Amino acid sequence: MKETFKYQLTTFIRYMGDAFIYPFLALYLRSIGLANSDVGKIMMIMPLVAIFINPIWSKFSKNINYNRIFIRILTVIEAIAVVILANIGANVWLIILVIFIIAVVGQPYYILFDSFTVMYAKQKNISYATIRIVGTLSYAITVIISGLVASYSYQLAFYIGAGLFVLTSLLITFIKPLDINVDDSLSHKPEPKELFRNKPYWRYVLVVTFTLTSMFIFDTYVSTFLKDIYLITEFQYGIIVSSYIFLELFLLILWNKIGKNVSNLFFYLLMIGSLVIRYGTYALSGVVNVPLGIIIAVTMLRSIPISVSIYMMMEMISKLVKPYNVTIATIIMGSIRSAFSTAFVLIGGYLTTNPENYKYWFLMGIGFTLLSLIFIDYKNSKTV
């Protein structure tokens, strides 16, 4: 089995597991009788824990090959916690405890695995996107099936997702450790002080925070918005998610073909514009009757920030920082994004308990997105 295929297969299976659980988590919590205010408390746990847990796992990771060992163990624990979540009913504090465990063991997966993968891709002189794109395809296909399963039984959907997490852990066993002797910097300990002095890196972190992170924050309640205002079902939501992910896949292929000839500034403005249009339309639906077809059409714009971030993010980090700082740079970025997310996800839960307030929530999303314009490096915004 070729080594690159092992990465692609592992990514495919992991994203299948995610698609059975995380797109429907807020809807699951609503289905067991919780209000949006309770959903907000619960959904806040993941970014809150990530602020502290990601740096801790980084500290344990003496060099990049330790990432591979950690995620094999953490993924199995995440699977067990998901099974427990499906069986504890509507006790908010028990749910918070289990979500806390999921956050501790599940949040670091992508940071640790992506750091490992981007270094593998760099050694083999291939694009990181050739591996990551497989996850997008997996998610797009699976979320239709998982939406149908979830409409029948959330418990069954969560069981399937947990099983796929265990399979992911098994597949990681077959991925070879990176040859850190090829590049001495891979066995070099991280140097946080050097990273803190890296101004281009910090500007990029802030642009990502106010675009991509804002999107994840304000999209937390898109599923409940669609259910409360437009009465969509889990299966219909699965089809919507699948549709924009297939579009994301198309765009990712397009960016891989033309991206080297397009400036980063274009990509930044494209992300910002798509978010403003989408949240503006959602907010407008609280004032006038916006047809569901238009809402679905603008929801497809979610594919733009995601595809751009997949194409750019890890490549940008690997260019802006030294190889030995890639993992810690990714973790710090993740922790900052998580800190930003924590308070606002909680606020959103209380605000959107009254469906009349969704318009204010999405107007806030526009405001935060526009703040990213302040931090773009307009003079040095070349290509990835």
Side-chain angles (χ1 to χ4, degrees):
M1 187 186 296
K2 289 184 178 180
E3 196 65 16
T4 300
F5 178 73
K6 294 178 187 177
Y7 282 85
Q8 291 171 327
L9 181 60
T10 301
T11 300
F12 189 90
I13 297 299
R14 170 67 200 205
Y15 276 82
M16 281 185 72
D18 281 354
F20 272 98
I21 301 164
Y22 297 117
F24 304 100
L25 184 55
L27 292 177
Y28 165 70
L29 296 172
R30 286 285 299 274
S31 75
I32 59 176
L34 302 186
N36 269 19
S37 55
D38 290 324
V39 173
K41 292 174 192 171
I42 293 165
M43 299 297 281
M44 176 194 73
I45 297 299
M46 288 191 178
L48 178 64
V49 170
I51 298 169
F52 308 102
I53 201 64
N54 288 337
I56 290 173
W57 289 125
S58 174
K59 189 71 175 176
F60 286 136
S61 187
K62 295 179 182 178
N63 65 53
I64 202 154
N65 279 326
Y66 280 76
N67 292 10
R68 173 177 162 274
I69 298 170
F70 285 137
I71 55 181
R72 286 166 56 195
I73 300 167
L74 299 179
T75 304
V76 173
I77 300 172
E78 184 181 7
I80 294 168
V82 166
V83 171
I84 294 171
L85 178 64
N87 289 281
I88 57 175
N91 186 311
V92 173
W93 293 108
L94 269 180
I95 294 172
I96 286 175
L97 176 61
V98 175
I99 292 292
F100 174 82
I101 295 169
I102 290 173
V104 168
V105 299
Q107 291 279 86
Y109 176 86
Y110 286 106
I111 288 175
L112 295 175
F113 189 70
D114 283 353
S115 299
F116 189 84
T117 303
V118 79
M119 287 297 101
Y120 166 80
K122 197 169 184 179
Q123 283 189 359
K124 299 299 181 182
N125 198 28
I126 61 173
S127 171
Y128 162 77
T130 61
I131 297 170
R132 177 58 178 79
I133 201 171
V134 175
T136 301
L137 177 62
S138 170
Y139 204 91
I141 295 169
T142 306
V143 77
I144 299 176
I145 301 167
S146 60
L148 187 60
V149 173
S151 64
Y152 168 71
S153 168
Y154 279 109
Q155 189 177 56
L156 178 59
F158 285 12
Y159 285 168
I160 294 171
L164 291 166
F165 286 171
V166 173
L167 181 56
T168 299
S169 178
L170 179 63
L171 289 170
I172 292 170
T173 305
F174 295 99
I175 292 176
K176 296 176 183 177
L178 294 176
D179 185 359
I180 60 177
N181 296 318
V182 172
D183 185 347
D184 290 340
S185 64
L186 292 179
S187 57
H188 193 296
K189 288 185 177 181
E191 294 189 9
K193 289 182 180 179
E194 177 186 298
L195 188 63
F196 290 138
R197 294 192 296 266
N198 188 333
K199 291 181 181 179
Y201 164 74
W202 288 106
R203 292 192 74 149
Y204 183 67
V205 168
L206 290 169
V207 172
V208 170
T209 297
F210 285 106
T211 52
L212 193 65
T213 308
S214 289
M215 186 196 75
F216 285 124
I217 291 169
F218 293 97
D219 278 8
T220 300
Y221 300 102
V222 165
S223 60
T224 58
F225 161 72
L226 293 171
K227 194 171 187 68
D228 289 339
I229 307 301
Y230 290 94
L231 305 178
I232 66 156
T233 65
E234 287 82 357
F235 179 57
Q236 290 169 330
Y237 181 64
I239 292 175
I240 292 170
V241 172
S242 177
S243 298
Y244 67 63
I245 293 176
F246 271 117
L247 181 55
E248 172 191 317
L249 181 63
F250 168 78
L251 290 174
L252 189 53
I253 294 169
L254 179 64
W255 305 149
N256 276 322
K257 287 187 178 294
I258 70 169
K260 298 297 182 184
N261 301 314
V262 177
S263 73
N264 291 342
L265 179 59
F266 170 81
F267 283 125
Y268 294 149
L269 296 179
L270 189 63
M271 286 196 295
I272 293 165
S274 67
L275 288 168
V276 169
I277 291 170
R278 184 155 66 91
Y279 291 147
T281 307
Y282 292 164
L284 187 62
S285 71
V287 180
V288 299
N289 182 25
V290 178
L292 177 59
I294 293 177
I295 294 294
I296 292 173
V298 298
T299 301
M300 297 303 106
L301 293 176
R302 190 181 193 272
S303 60
I304 293 175
I306 295 291
S307 62
V308 170
S309 71
I310 293 170
Y311 172 70
M312 288 181 65
M313 185 181 294
M314 293 307 296
E315 295 280 359
M316 284 291 290
I317 289 176
S318 67
K319 286 189 175 185
L320 291 172
V321 307
K322 301 289 186 183
Y324 52 78
N325 273 337
V326 166
T327 296
I328 191 171
T330 310
I331 286 173
I332 289 172
M333 177 186 283
S335 294
I336 291 170
R337 291 169 57 192
S338 297
F340 184 64
S341 300
T342 300
F344 288 100
V345 169
L346 180 61
I347 290 168
Y350 282 99
L351 185 64
T352 59
T353 296
N354 181 352
E356 293 290 325
N357 291 335
Y358 279 113
K359 57 181 177 289
Y360 303 119
W361 176 243
F362 292 121
L363 285 172
M364 286 172 60
I366 293 174
F368 279 103
T369 300
L370 291 175
L371 284 174
S372 63
L373 293 169
I374 299 170
F375 302 104
I376 293 172
D377 187 352
Y378 293 97
K379 290 182 179 179
N380 299 305
S381 186
K382 298 178 181 179
T383 60
V384 171

